[in-house]
Amino acid sequence: MSEGSSVKQGVAAGTAMGAAVIMVTVGLLQFFQGLAAVYENEEFVVGVEYLYKFDFTVWGWIHLVLGALVAVTGLALFTGAAWARVSAIVIAAISIVANFLWLPHYPWWSVIVIALDVVVIWAISAWRPNPSDAWA
């Protein structure tokens, strides 16, 4: 392995562990955001009507479930197991879609979470725990 490749893998490995921390943090925040939407849906801003508008209780449950999945997948990502990496990429992609749909209600939060999910997907995709096998 060349020195440049070794440096790239070091950065990717560090970023992948950072991605695990990001996933746990974002997952917990989404979980609590969902909890707030389920119990206190009058507190949320109602914006322009959109085609994919759901009741805030439905959004609350979506964020509760997604937040729990993101957090658990982030914890599993610390193992570096292939199933955890693949699951993290899939869950981060689902999180991007959910936050895109949530964009009209909380644009700044949605954009931040989408950007963090993109970082997570890049870090996990670029990281090879075992350089001889891309998905060992």
Side-chain angles (χ1 to χ4, degrees):
M1 181 185 310
S2 72
E3 186 175 325
S5 178
S6 176
V7 170
K8 179 182 175 190
Q9 282 305 303
V11 169
T15 307
M17 289 300 106
V21 172
I22 289 170
M23 286 188 76
V24 172
T25 304
V26 168
L28 289 173
L29 290 173
Q30 277 191 328
F31 180 83
F32 289 122
Q33 179 182 10
L35 203 58
V38 168
Y39 290 112
E40 295 294 331
N41 60 7
E42 295 85 25
E43 301 295 322
F44 283 85
V45 177
V46 178
V48 179
E49 297 282 329
Y50 285 91
L51 178 64
Y52 45 82
K53 181 181 181 211
F54 295 121
D55 178 72
F56 282 108
T57 304
V58 173
W59 272 119
W61 283 107
I62 289 170
H63 282 290
L64 272 169
V65 171
L66 187 58
L69 282 172
V70 169
V72 168
T73 306
L75 289 172
L77 189 57
F78 282 113
T79 66
W83 68 267
R85 294 192 320 265
V86 171
S87 297
I89 291 171
V90 170
I91 296 295
I94 292 170
S95 177
I96 288 172
V97 171
N99 280 285
F100 174 77
L101 297 175
W102 183 246
L103 198 61
H105 306 291
Y106 281 99
W108 284 105
W109 173 250
S110 295
V111 168
I112 289 168
V113 172
I114 289 168
L116 290 172
D117 285 334
V118 168
V119 169
V120 165
I121 291 171
W122 171 84
I124 296 166
S125 299
W127 177 40
R128 288 187 287 157
N130 182 1
S132 64
D133 187 1
W135 291 96

